[in-house]
Amino acid sequence: MNVFHVFTEHVRFAVAALAKAGVFPTPPDLARIVVEPPREASHGDLATNAAMALAKDAGLKPRDLAEKIAAELRKLPEVTGTEVAGPGFINLTLDPAMWRAALADVIREGADYGKSPIGAGKPVNVEYVSANPTGPMHVGHCRGAVFGDALANLLAAAGFAVTREYYINDAGGQVDVLARSAFLRYREALGEDIGAMPEGLYPGDYLKPVGEALAKEYGDKFKSRPESEWLPLIRTKAIAMMMAMIREDLAALNVEHDVIFSERSLIEGRDQVGATIEALRANGQVYEGRLPPPKGAPVEDYEDREQTLFRATSFGDDVDRPLKKSDGSYTYFASDITYHKLKFDRGFRDMIDVWGADHGGYVKRMKAAVKAVSGETAELDVKIVQLVKLMRAGVEVKMSKRSGEFVTLREVVDEVGRDAVRFMMLYRKNDAVLDFDLAKVIEQSRDNPVFYVQYGHARAQSVFRNAADMLPDLPSDPAARTVYLSQAKLARLDDPAELAMMRKLALYPRLIESAALAHEPHRVAFYLYELASEFHTQWARGTHAPHLRFIIQDDPQLTVARLALVQGFVTVLALGLALLGVEAPGEMR
C-alpha cells in the first residue's frame, strides 16, 4: 500500500463529490492534486495542495475551497483530524491504524516493497562513465559511475526498462596519442632506455603492461618500422587492454553495462556520421555558412570560414554548431549527434547522459541535437557530476604512482572499500562538489554516514539473535521469520516514536517514485540516514527506559510486535542500500 496514492484518490474523490454538488462550473483537473508529507511533523501526517491547485477552477478563494474539501475528507474513518493552513494547504492526521497497516505491508511484500509501476516498462537509456580509453579511471569517473548505476537501479525499481550504456571514445586524436605512448613502452619492454616520457604523451606506469604484452607478442617486429605501419595495430591493442582495465575497475565498484558502444564504429565501414548529416540537411537542419565572431566569451570551435553547420539555434542553443573540421574530418559533436540518433532508432525516447563537470557547456547543443534527430519526440536529460576533492584527514590528495597524474578509482576502492565509496559518492547531490576524506569514511561514528546506516542494519539483526533466547520458535531464516512476524499484534505499537518510524517506512514507496522521476538517487541515501537515525534513537531510548526496549522479557506479544517493527526497518534499509549498490551487513566488527 502506498499511503500517498491512497489519499490522492481520497482527495480526488472528495473534489469529484464537490463537483457533482455544483462547486465547480466545469470539471476540475484532478491531475494537479498532490498529496505529500507536511513540511513540519507537527502539522499532521499528510498535506495536499488540492485547494490551491483548483481554486481558480471553482472561482473560490483557496482557503474557502480548502474548507469544503476538508469537510469531505472528515467523513473518512481513517482521518482523525484536518486543518486548513497558510494559503490553503489541507493538513491531515490519520488514525494510527493506517501506519500499522503500512508496516504490515512492508512485512508482507518484503523484497517487492516500494517497487512501482509508474515506469510502465518504458525504455530508458542511461549512459554513464564513457571515459576515454586512455588510462585508468580516476575518482571523478568513480562518482559518475556510481551515480549512473544507482540511477539505473532506481529507475528499474520504478518500473522503467533500463539499458545501461558505455560509449567508448575510441576515435580521434587522443587514442593516437595512446598508441604512441604504448609504442614507447613497447620499446622500453624490448630493453631500450626511453628516458622521460615526452611532453604530450601519457606518462603513467599503467601502460608498461601494454608495452610488455606487445613485446611478448611481436618481438622487435615494429621497433624500427614507420608509424604508419604500427599505429593502427598498436592503437587497437592498447584500446582493448585499456578497456579491459576499465572493466576491472568498474567491477571493483560492482558496475556493469548492458551495452558497450564504440565511437569508431560510426565511421568504420558504413559512414553513419555522414548519413546523419545528410538526413539533417534534407530536413533543412544543416547548411553551409559562416559563424559570426563570438560575443563576450569565446566559442571554442569558432573558425572564420564557410563550413557545415547544424542549426542548433532552431532547437534552443545559443549558436549554430560546426559538424566538420577544416581538414574535412567530423567534429566530436557530429559523432555525438549520430550516436544519439542511433539511440533514438533503437527505440529510446528517454535518454539520460551522465557527464563530468567540464562538459557543462556542451549540454544545450546536445539537447538541441536530440530534438532534431527525433523530430522533437525524444527527451535528453544531462546530469552533470561535479568534481570530487580527495582528502586524507583534511589534507588534499592529488598524485598517484600508478597514473602519474591523479588518484585512480581502484586505489580509492582498495583503500576504503566499495561500500564506503558508493554510499559517499551518493551522499551529496550530483551537481555539488564532493569532499571525499579517505580517513573519515572508515571512521566508526555517526559522522560517517555509511557506517551509521550499515550499523543500523547490523544492530537490528542483533535484536533477532537476542530475541531467540526468549522466543525459541522465532525462525532464524529471514523468509520464515517474515511469515512468523506477519501474525504480530501491531495494535500493541502505540509509542509516538514507534508510530513515527512506521510513517517513515510508509514514505519509502513515494521516495522511490519521486527520486526516480527527478533522476536524483541521492534522495535515497539521505532517507536511509534519517531512517537509521530513528532506529538508533529508539535503541538508545530503550537503554534508558527498559519498557521501550525491543525485547520485553515478560511480554512476548509486545516483543513480537516490536520485532515486526524491526523487521520493517531491516527490510526497507536493505532495499534502499541495494539500490545504492551497498551491502546490508548482518553484523559489523
Side-chain angles (χ1 to χ4, degrees):
M1 175 180 65
N2 185 322
V3 174
F4 297 90
H5 284 180
V6 169
F7 272 84
T8 298
E9 290 306 308
H10 283 324
V11 175
R12 288 176 176 173
F13 187 82
V15 170
L18 293 175
K20 188 174 182 180
V23 172
F24 292 89
T26 58
D29 181 5
L30 302 181
R32 285 183 279 162
I33 294 173
V34 174
V35 175
E36 58 190 354
R39 293 183 180 178
E40 300 290 338
S42 60
H43 293 169
D45 296 325
L46 304 174
T48 179
N49 69 337
M52 292 181 293
L54 303 177
K56 188 174 181 181
D57 295 359
L60 295 171
K61 292 179 180 178
R63 284 188 65 93
D64 292 342
L65 179 58
E67 291 290 356
K68 294 181 181 294
I69 297 173
E72 291 293 321
L73 295 173
R74 289 189 195 105
K75 299 174 183 177
L76 295 170
E78 306 98 314
V79 174
T80 60
T82 62
E83 176 195 21
V84 175
F89 282 108
I90 304 170
N91 295 327
L92 303 175
T93 301
L94 306 187
D95 188 305
M98 285 294 298
W99 306 118
R100 297 185 188 110
L103 173 59
D105 281 344
V106 179
I107 295 170
R108 183 179 63 255
E109 294 179 20
D112 290 330
Y113 184 67
K115 289 183 178 178
S116 170
I118 59 168
K122 189 176 183 181
V124 178
N125 183 287
V126 185
E127 181 209 326
Y128 54 104
V129 187
S130 297
N132 292 339
T134 55
M137 302 187 70
H138 55 65
V139 289
H141 296 134
C142 175
R143 191 178 186 188
V146 171
F147 175 88
D149 192 58
L151 176 56
N153 291 341
L154 186 59
L155 289 164
F160 292 92
V162 182
T163 295
R164 305 156 191 258
E165 190 146 339
Y166 187 122
Y167 180 56
I168 310 175
N169 298 116
D170 55 357
Q174 82 279 357
V175 288
D176 289 343
V177 173
L178 172 69
R180 295 183 185 107
S181 305
F183 184 72
L184 274 183
R185 293 300 186 188
Y186 159 71
R187 287 164 48 188
E188 182 181 44
L190 292 173
E192 182 178 337
D193 181 5
I194 63 171
M197 190 67 75
E199 186 76 21
L201 298 185
Y202 298 116
D205 290 349
Y206 61 86
L207 282 174
K208 287 186 176 182
V210 179
E212 292 165 359
L214 290 167
K216 183 177 180 179
E217 184 172 356
Y218 297 105
D220 63 358
K221 177 180 179 180
F222 296 110
K223 185 175 179 180
S224 302
R225 299 286 182 88
E227 180 178 287
S228 60
E229 292 188 24
W230 56 255
L231 189 139
L233 182 144
I234 288 182
R235 180 178 61 207
T236 299
K237 292 281 187 180
I239 289 172
M241 291 189 70
M242 289 297 99
M243 284 305 302
M245 179 179 64
I246 286 171
R247 285 191 181 94
E248 288 181 7
D249 289 347
L250 291 174
L253 273 177
N254 201 23
V255 172
E256 295 184 4
H257 292 82
D258 303 312
V259 176
I260 307 291
F261 192 99
S262 164
E263 178 186 0
R264 185 167 292 277
S265 70
L266 298 175
I267 54 175
E268 289 185 340
R270 176 173 174 259
D271 181 3
Q272 298 183 79
V273 179
T276 298
I277 290 174
E278 292 312 308
L280 290 171
R281 191 190 300 276
N283 291 332
Q285 295 157 353
V286 167
Y287 67 101
E288 303 299 317
R290 292 177 179 268
L291 287 173
K295 297 178 181 178
V299 176
E300 73 279 4
D301 50 11
Y302 172 74
E303 292 184 69
D304 187 16
R305 63 179 178 85
E306 186 168 278
Q307 51 192 316
T308 303
L309 301 172
F310 166 60
R311 293 188 190 277
T313 50
S314 297
F315 301 95
D317 198 4
D318 300 323
V319 64
D320 291 342
R321 303 291 180 177
L323 299 177
K324 290 186 178 180
K325 302 175 185 177
S326 55
D327 64 1
S329 63
Y330 300 123
T331 62
Y332 285 116
F333 181 51
S335 295
D336 287 342
I337 293 177
T338 305
Y339 171 50
H340 283 78
K341 179 184 181 297
L342 292 176
K343 287 185 186 181
F344 176 75
D345 292 343
R346 286 157 52 199
F348 295 107
R349 302 299 179 265
D350 283 302
M351 309 175 199
I352 303 169
D353 287 1
V354 181
W355 294 352
D358 56 342
H359 287 72
Y362 208 73
V363 175
K364 277 189 175 181
R365 73 186 74 177
M366 205 64 248
K367 283 178 170 283
V370 169
K371 287 181 181 178
V373 299
S374 70
E376 301 197 56
T377 63
E379 188 73 28
L380 171 66
D381 183 19
V382 177
K383 309 303 288 189
I384 297 294
V385 175
Q386 274 296 341
L387 300 173
V388 177
K389 192 174 183 181
L390 198 63
M391 319 282 285
R392 181 176 280 110
V395 179
E396 189 169 359
V397 180
K398 293 183 178 180
M399 300 299 290
S400 163
K401 290 182 180 179
R402 185 184 183 207
S403 73
E405 297 175 325
F406 49 79
V407 179
T408 67
L409 175 158
R410 192 58 177 269
E411 288 167 330
V412 174
V413 174
D414 289 346
E415 180 168 340
V416 302
R418 182 182 71 202
D419 289 346
V421 172
R422 289 193 64 121
F423 194 95
M424 294 309 299
M425 290 290 170
L426 295 164
Y427 198 64
R428 189 74 81 240
K429 197 171 186 294
N430 61 281
D431 58 4
V433 174
L434 173 66
D435 288 349
F436 188 96
D437 195 305
L438 294 161
K440 289 186 177 180
V441 300
I442 57 174
E443 285 182 358
Q444 294 191 352
S445 73
R446 178 172 182 161
D447 294 332
N448 176 9
V450 63
F451 168 79
Y452 193 62
V453 173
Q454 287 187 310
Y455 184 46
H457 189 272
R459 202 176 217 184
Q461 293 288 14
S462 75
V463 174
F464 295 119
R465 292 192 293 270
N466 293 333
D469 293 335
M470 176 186 169
L471 302 170
D473 58 339
L474 177 67
S476 58
D477 175 69
R481 187 174 68 208
T482 297
V483 175
Y484 178 91
L485 294 175
S486 66
Q487 308 302 315
K489 306 298 183 184
L490 300 182
R492 293 295 305 276
L493 301 176
D494 56 8
D495 179 74
E498 292 172 338
L499 291 169
M501 186 175 290
M502 290 181 228
R503 281 194 292 270
K504 195 73 174 179
L505 296 174
L507 183 62
Y508 183 72
R510 181 182 185 275
L511 168 80
I512 296 304
E513 292 184 351
S514 60
L517 293 175
H519 301 164
E520 293 185 345
H522 72 274
R523 297 188 190 187
V524 178
F526 290 176
Y527 167 85
L528 294 179
Y529 185 86
E530 293 169 0
L531 181 61
S533 181
E534 291 202 16
F535 176 79
H536 288 304
T537 298
Q538 191 68 356
W539 177 290
R541 292 179 72 215
T543 301
H544 301 293
H547 70 283
L548 293 175
R549 291 176 181 171
F550 297 114
I551 301 171
I552 306 297
Q553 293 295 335
D554 59 352
D555 194 339
Q557 187 185 80
L558 179 57
T559 298
V560 172
R562 287 182 174 167
L563 291 179
L565 180 59
V566 175
Q567 181 65 52
F569 168 75
V570 163
T571 297
V572 171
L573 202 73
L575 289 171
L577 285 171
L579 288 179
L580 304 185
V582 177
E583 182 185 357
E587 55 184 325
M588 297 180 73
R589 302 184 185 278

